[in-house]
Structures are given as structure tokens and as C-alpha cells.
Amino acid sequence: MFFTLKKKKVLLSNVHGKVLCGICCENHCPPLGLESLKVSDDQLESSSYLSVGLGPHRGRLNIQSGLEDDDEYDGAWCAGVEDQEQWLQLNAFRPTLFTGVILQGRNSIWRSVLNWVRTYKVQFSNDSSVWQPCMNGSEEAVFVGNEDLETPVLALFPEPSVAQYIRINPQTWFSNGTICLRAEVLGCPVPDPDSPHFSETESGSSDDLDFRHHNYNEMRKLMKSVNDECPNITRIYTIGRSYTGLKLYVMEISDNPGKHELGEPEFRYVAGMHGNEVLGRELLLNLMQYICREYNRGNQRVIQLVKDTRIHLLPSMNPDGYEAAYEKGSELSGWALGRYSFEGIDMNHNFPDLNNIMWDAQEMAMDKRRVSNHYIPMPEYYTSTEALVAPETRAVISWMQDIPFVLSANLHGGELVVTYPFDCTRDWIPRQDTPTADNDFFRWLATVYASANLVMANPERRICHSEDFQQHNNIINGADWHTVPGSMNDFSYLHANCFEITVELSCDKFPHASELPIEWENNKESLLLYMEQVHRGIKGVIRDKDTRAGIANAVIKVDGLGHDIRSAVDGDFWRLLNPGEYKITVWAEGYFPRIRHCSVGSEPHATICDFTLTKTSQDRLKQILASGGKIPRDNQVRIRAMRMRKLRASTKILNRRREQQQRLNKVKRK
């Protein structure tokens, strides 16, 4: 029997996950999951469709079209007939309190297609045969739809209704277009013990964590609460500010916070580079809570991780973008709002492009072995005040210089796949497999995360938009997906000693708060297991034979791998490697080189491979000069350090200018 609820008291949540007590008609339920794929394709039907690629299964909020128009992965449901009898239908499989609908127009990469629905009606049914209209008093309700392709428009029903089926029935559409839409339906499942889809408890997490979306102030409070709960293993610090002055907070987790311990590797997670891709931010806030509480509970796995690793969590690299997306909310921020920095910069393309500098040098060199494959200095132009470099990017680059990171992951959203360097193709080809010298190890890292992720590992899952990454085991070379010059991953690899991958965490860039517990469960093991990979390969300390002091910036070369690394300030180093036998050569300016053979096992416990170097004698230096030779000089390190100083100097100038302008703006507003 179909009926409406006008005065039923219910507990609902808004788009930010805050619990609201009130009358159901005055608030709305969470999304049923067209965008997040909780709603399966077989729950969607339509009166007609223009083509297979424009079928009802494509009528999902924020779905993106494929690279080819008119293929099976187009960007909306489009009716095959233009009249007012067309509809898109959802079968909720159980009685559901429907409270609203969100609509978008058709997405297309190449075409200027102007297809959207301007007004529509809604009907409900319990058997898909008898339909009742959504009413507004004594009249059938007509809802306002879209006036552009991408802006989501929310319509809340005057009278929320309980039914199993809902239909969206377009009435008018853009005059030069056709009937096309992408949708999300808001609804609260009604308990029904007789339904095969009924369960006493919704799927979620057994961990008692703060599962909601946190704006800037709420994020600071949560981080402070974790620090208060675990003061002996946590420290909060900042690496800089956003364009509008919001601090970039980092949570450090270590048994010796605030200090680099000799031989202990440094690990980082970075989230929120794109401010509207918010799941990574919440996962890192959950992760710091989880590690703190499990450490206090005596969880040996967590205790070992904290004892052996210095962990850094940056939950929001682009807080300005996040605040813009948060203000709209999880379903209404669209696909791009908040992606860019306040200045409109895509930080995923904002790091120095060292790939092409290296490749150009290799092409011109007579002996490619003499071309540097690591610690490549950023170009001179990048260090000026005129360079279009976001303050957030500058802050992260400076952070990389201060801490000898070994392993990292950059958390994104909008897809379900793990990518590994290189992200940039040679010769500006749109997409092509472009491996690094460490391709096998990068593939291992990507596989570790993907195989432990509960959604990625599910062979029955639906693709997010248009690409089937399951055929690649949910991992792909970044450049083989799409070329990204100036990515943080490539910069980390070529400028520092850090191996970094990108994790696309969810089809939905901004999941509703109700989805956060299950998303934590989907990613918890992956997050922990990936951190443990920092202990693979070899590690050691390079010392002066006579003084026993550590030697900084020594070159560690693995025979057969065309990528070297450097020792840190205290002489310690970490070289990530797959199991095997390796010939290692170490060289530093003013010292004789040294060779050792080191064995790497299959367990995540790095093999100790220390080196002691002997200084080059004055007699040997005289012999080199007498024979017309040149004393080896490590000019690359000097240039790299000089460019870093210039970048920091220009950053200070820009920060002062920005602060002065912000003060002036405040005075004007008064």
C-alpha cells in the first residue's frame, strides 16, 4: 500500500553527517547510492534510451563519459523519445522513505552537448504497476531541474513518501537538446523483516571512530584530541599555509615524535591535493585515531609500526578547495568544485617537470650513464616569484627537503585504481606505458594496496565510469592512464629519495557521511599494509672510516637499476628493493667508492647493509691532477640546494605580499 508520511518523527543526517532530529518532511535522507554504486545497474530502468551507452545504468550523479562519444560509456541516461511520457526508474528493493532527488545534465568530454532536464515530476509505486504522483498540496508537484550540464540541483519533496519504486518523469528540457539526466535519489530504508534485503544493522565498522566530514576547524579539533589522547607518540606541526592562510597541518606518529632516529624510515600519506576528493582526508583522520587507540590497547602490529617507523599524515593539502566543496556538501558540490587551489591551480600538475629535463639530457648525452637519474634540481624559472606555483605546492616541496621520506602515497578520489610512476609520458603522447627503473617494485607497491582493498579486490564490482581497471588487477602505470606532467609522484622519485603512488579511493569524490564507516573498512588493511612496505629492501649507514661520522649525500647505486638514491644528513639510507641479490656501489665526494653484495628477503624487514668509506688521499688527488684528470665534484647536490634556497626565499616574499594584501582587504571591509 502506498502512503505518505507528513509528521513521522525520524532521525536523519544532513550532507555533513550531523544527526538531525525532526519532522521527515523538513529534512532529507542520505543518498541511496546511484553515485557510490550501492545501487546496482539492475535496479535502474527507463521508458526508452537513445543508445546502449545512454541507458538507465548511466543515469548516475557525476558519472563521467568515456573518451569516445557514442560508445557504451556515455555521460547520462538519455531518452530515445522526446515526449513527457519518458522516465528513469529506481527499484529500491524494499520500502523506502523517499525524500528528494538531485539532478544533473549530460556529461561529455568532446562534444558541446547541451542536454539537460529543466522541469520534472516524480511518481511512486510499490509494485511498478500502480503509480501515485508526488503531490504539493492538492496539485501534482513539478520540480525545477537544471540550467547547465554540471551543477547538481536538489529538490526536496513536499510530502516524503514510502514506496519501493520511484520514477523521475521529465516535463521540459533544454530547447536545443534532448531528454538527458544524471540523478541521485535521497531515501531512508524502512525496516521490513519480511524483505530479503532487510538487515537489523546497516553495514559499517566496529571501530569507534569519528565518522563524519570535518571542516577546517573540526579537523584541527580532532587532531588535537588525538594528540591529547596519545601525547607520547604524536605531534602536530605545520608545513605552511594555503593561499587564504589556512595552515597545512601534519600529524606525526612515532615512538620519538619530533626527531629523526638513525636508521628509522620516514613515511607519509598526503590527502586532499584536490579539495573535493575528500575520502582520503577522512581516512587519514580515522587512521590517526585508530593508531592512537590501538597503540594504547596493546595491538602489537600497531606498536611495532609506531616503534619502527616515523609516520607523517597530511590530511588536507588543499584546505581552501575543501572548504568550498564542504560548504555545498557531498551531493551538491559536483565533479569539480574545490578541485583547484584558491588561485585556480591544479596541484597535481604544479610540481617541476623533471621527467622531460632528464629525458632531454639523455637524448643529448654521448654517454647516458653520466646523466643524473636522481636528485635532479628543479629548474631555475620555478624558483622565481613570477612562477605560477601554489603556496601549498611550495610548502610540500620544502617539507620533502626537510625530511628524508622513503615511501609515500597520494590519496585521490573519483575512481578505483592505484597508479604508479611515471605519470608523464615521453614526447607528450596522451597515454603510454612509461615505466621507471623501479617498475617491478612500484607494481608491487600498487598491488599491495589494491589487493587488500575490499572494493578493488571484489571481482563483481561495477566499473566507476568508463575504464575497466580490473583487467589490470586494479593497478596501472600513471602515464598509461593519462599523462600528468608535473605530478607529485614523479617529482618525489626524481628529486628526492621517495617512492610514491597515487590511490584513487572511490568512484564518489565526496561520499556521504553515511558511507564513511564502510569506506574505512574497505581501506583499513590497505593503509596499514602499505605503510609496512617501507621496511622492504636494504638500509644502512654510510660512515667515514676514520671519524665514524655519517656521510650525507653519498650516492647509493644498485647494479642493473638506473635510479640511484642518496644518504640522509646523518648518513643513513633506505633503498626499496624486491627480494634478490644485489651489487651495491656507494660513492661520495672526497671518498673512494665501495662495493658490497647485499641480499633482500621476502619478509618486510630491511637487510642491514652498512658502508664505511675511505677518504681520497692527497697523494691520489695530486696523481689525478698530474695526469690531466679532474677531481670528481658533486655539483648536482650544490645546484639542488641552491635552487631550494631560492625557492624558499621567493616563497617568503610571496607570503609577505599575500599577508599585506589580506590585511588591506580586512581594512577595506571595515
Side-chain angles (χ1 to χ4, degrees):
M1 172 179 164
F2 167 85
F3 58 94
T4 61
L5 293 182
K6 295 183 180 179
K7 296 293 181 183
K8 182 176 176 65
K9 288 279 186 179
V10 291
L11 283 177
L12 302 174
S13 61
N14 69 3
V15 292
H16 300 311
K18 296 177 182 176
V19 174
L20 304 170
C21 295
I23 307 302
C24 61
C25 333
E26 297 174 359
N27 299 299
H28 57 87
C29 290
L32 291 180
L34 276 79
E35 182 179 11
S36 69
L37 305 185
K38 277 180 69 176
V39 170
S40 61
D41 287 350
D42 60 7
Q43 290 178 255
L44 298 171
E45 294 183 45
S46 64
S47 54
S48 64
Y49 49 87
L50 204 56
S51 66
V52 173
L54 294 166
H57 65 294
R58 302 298 293 177
R60 299 173 179 272
L61 190 73
N62 284 321
I63 202 164
Q64 302 296 292
S65 65
L67 292 176
E68 303 292 335
D69 280 317
D70 299 322
D71 64 5
E72 60 182 307
Y73 302 112
D74 227 315
W77 162 68
C78 292
V81 180
E82 290 189 32
D83 62 33
Q84 293 182 329
E85 304 303 317
Q86 304 306 303
W87 45 261
L88 177 68
Q89 174 180 303
L90 165 66
N91 178 1
F93 283 157
R94 58 187 286 187
T96 299
L97 176 66
F98 293 111
T99 62
V101 165
I102 301 171
L103 244 57
Q104 272 177 319
R106 176 182 173 183
N107 174 263
S108 177
I109 293 178
W110 304 114
R111 278 189 195 163
S112 298
V113 289
L114 301 178
N115 296 330
W116 59 77
V117 169
R118 281 183 160 160
T119 61
Y120 61 98
K121 297 179 179 179
V122 172
Q123 293 98 35
F124 307 102
S125 175
N126 283 325
D127 58 9
S128 75
S129 295
V130 178
W131 292 87
Q132 297 287 341
C134 181
M135 302 298 290
N136 185 10
S138 61
E139 298 181 349
E140 187 172 359
V142 178
F143 300 98
V144 176
N146 303 101
E147 289 299 329
D148 62 41
L149 296 170
E150 294 297 333
T151 305
V153 176
L154 167 67
L156 295 177
F157 303 151
E159 297 180 354
S161 300
V162 173
Q164 181 173 330
Y165 298 86
I166 183 173
R167 276 183 179 176
I168 300 169
N169 172 214
Q171 295 298 295
T172 63
W173 45 94
F174 183 66
S175 57
N176 292 329
T178 189
I179 301 172
C180 293
L181 62 84
R182 292 175 286 167
E184 182 60 85
V185 175
L186 308 181
C188 298
V190 176
D192 180 9
D194 296 328
S195 170
H197 302 281
F198 172 77
S199 63
E200 289 290 343
T201 57
E202 293 294 326
S203 59
S205 174
S206 60
D207 294 322
D208 183 21
L209 306 177
D210 191 2
F211 293 119
R212 61 192 175 98
H213 290 295
H214 299 78
N215 65 15
Y216 178 72
N217 289 328
E218 291 165 341
M219 180 187 74
R220 291 197 308 174
K221 290 176 183 177
L222 185 146
M223 295 177 74
K224 176 67 165 55
S225 70
V226 172
N227 182 236
D228 289 343
E229 189 175 345
C230 294
N232 295 329
I233 63 166
T234 63
R235 177 178 73 103
I236 301 170
Y237 66 96
T238 64
I239 61 172
R241 292 178 181 266
S242 71
Y243 186 87
T244 66
L246 301 182
K247 292 181 179 180
L248 306 184
Y249 286 105
V250 178
M251 174 67 79
E252 176 191 343
I253 304 175
S254 166
D255 62 345
N256 236 320
K259 179 183 178 183
H260 171 72
E261 297 180 70
L262 190 70
E264 184 169 285
E266 308 267 358
F267 177 92
R268 73 169 184 258
Y269 274 129
V270 176
M273 171 182 275
H274 293 147
N276 63 330
E277 297 170 14
V278 307
L279 181 55
R281 174 192 183 105
E282 298 307 325
L283 288 177
L284 293 193
L285 295 177
N286 293 154
L287 182 62
M288 60 183 72
Q289 289 179 283
Y290 177 82
I291 291 177
C292 167
R293 292 174 184 179
E294 291 302 305
Y295 185 91
N296 288 340
R297 288 172 181 155
N299 183 320
Q300 288 305 305
R301 181 186 188 185
V302 170
I303 289 172
Q304 195 69 37
L305 187 62
V306 172
K307 178 183 175 183
D308 295 342
T309 320
R310 191 179 180 208
I311 301 164
H312 306 259
L313 308 178
L314 172 60
S316 188
M317 181 177 167
N318 180 7
D320 293 346
Y322 177 85
E323 293 299 302
Y326 178 87
E327 186 176 348
K328 285 288 186 180
S330 59
E331 281 69 58
L332 300 180
S333 58
W335 190 250
L337 179 64
R339 173 186 176 91
Y340 304 102
S341 73
F342 186 86
E343 301 168 277
I345 296 172
D346 188 339
M347 296 181 207
N348 203 33
H349 298 257
N350 198 220
F351 288 79
D353 176 9
L354 304 183
N355 304 56
N356 284 290
I357 291 175
M358 179 181 70
W359 292 331
D360 289 347
Q362 289 173 346
E363 287 182 7
M364 293 187 294
M366 297 293 292
D367 184 356
K368 290 181 173 53
R369 293 173 300 177
R370 294 185 176 275
V371 176
S372 178
N373 58 32
H374 72 292
Y375 255 43
I376 300 172
M378 67 186 79
E380 181 76 29
Y381 75 84
Y382 194 88
T383 66
S384 76
T385 56
E386 304 303 316
L388 189 62
V389 184
E392 298 89 344
T393 309
R394 291 171 176 268
V396 169
I397 291 174
S398 184
W399 186 36
M400 292 178 182
Q401 186 77 11
D402 290 337
I403 297 175
F405 291 112
V406 179
L407 182 61
S408 174
N410 184 8
L411 306 183
H412 284 243
E415 256 300 350
L416 274 168
V417 68
V418 182
T419 74
Y420 53 91
F422 286 123
D423 289 332
C424 181
T425 61
R426 290 175 180 257
D427 303 320
W428 305 103
I429 297 169
R431 60 185 298 178
Q432 184 180 61
D433 187 22
T434 310
T436 66
D438 290 283
N439 190 58
D440 289 345
F441 193 80
F442 271 119
R443 287 181 60 83
W444 165 260
L445 290 173
T447 300
V448 163
Y449 199 100
S451 61
N453 181 282
L454 299 184
V455 179
M456 292 188 202
N458 178 7
E460 303 301 320
R461 75 171 178 88
R462 183 194 187 280
I463 64 172
C464 290
H465 300 285
S466 60
E467 297 219 32
D468 183 7
F469 292 111
Q470 286 184 298
Q471 63 181 318
H472 308 296
N473 295 316
N474 301 299
I475 70 170
I476 192 170
N477 174 260
D480 201 22
W481 183 16
H482 55 263
T483 186
V484 181
S487 78
M488 185 165 70
N489 292 8
D490 288 1
F491 180 78
S492 293
Y493 184 67
L494 294 175
H495 184 75
N497 288 337
C498 188
F499 286 36
E500 184 170 294
I501 63 172
T502 290
V503 183
E504 299 282 350
L505 293 162
S506 170
C507 303
D508 188 349
K509 287 187 175 184
F510 201 144
H512 190 271
S514 61
E515 302 282 346
L516 295 179
I518 191 62
E519 290 291 4
W520 165 249
E521 289 300 320
N522 289 339
N523 287 277
K524 177 169 67 173
E525 179 59 23
S526 294
L527 289 166
L528 295 170
L529 192 60
Y530 184 77
M531 285 192 287
E532 291 168 342
Q533 305 313 301
V534 76
H535 297 286
R536 291 195 176 274
I538 62 172
K539 70 175 185 178
V541 182
I542 301 168
R543 301 181 187 274
D544 183 294
K545 183 180 179 182
D546 298 322
T547 66
R548 305 301 297 171
I551 302 172
N553 291 317
V555 177
I556 297 94
K557 183 184 293 290
V558 180
D559 191 45
L561 288 178
H563 180 78
D564 306 334
I565 64 162
R566 298 269 182 158
S567 58
V569 173
D570 297 326
D572 45 353
F573 75 93
W574 307 262
R575 183 53 165 101
L576 299 176
L577 294 166
N578 280 323
E581 300 289 330
Y582 295 94
K583 177 183 176 182
I584 313 295
T585 302
V586 170
W587 172 84
E589 183 178 319
Y591 291 87
F592 288 110
R594 176 85 187 275
I595 297 174
R596 280 194 63 182
H597 288 82
C598 301
S599 177
V600 175
S602 58
E603 295 299 316
H605 303 293
T607 300
I608 304 298
C609 200
D610 294 327
F611 287 82
T612 55
L613 301 186
T614 303
K615 281 187 175 178
T616 309
S617 66
Q618 291 297 317
D619 289 341
R620 176 56 181 156
L621 294 177
K622 290 177 182 178
Q623 289 176 4
I624 293 172
L625 293 172
S627 62
K630 293 182 179 180
I631 298 172
R633 300 273 294 178
D634 200 350
N635 291 324
Q636 180 173 294
V637 169
R638 293 178 174 84
I639 295 171
R640 183 177 179 275
M642 178 186 67
R643 300 266 171 88
M644 190 66 234
R645 288 193 297 271
K646 288 185 175 181
L647 182 75
R648 285 174 167 166
S650 65
T651 299
K652 287 182 179 179
I653 293 170
L654 291 171
N655 287 344
R656 283 197 296 268
R657 289 179 187 172
R658 197 157 41 248
E659 289 167 3
Q660 290 170 358
Q661 187 60 49
Q662 288 169 353
R663 283 196 294 268
L664 285 173
N665 292 341
K666 286 182 180 179
V667 171
K668 288 179 181 178
R669 285 195 294 270
K670 290 180 180 178

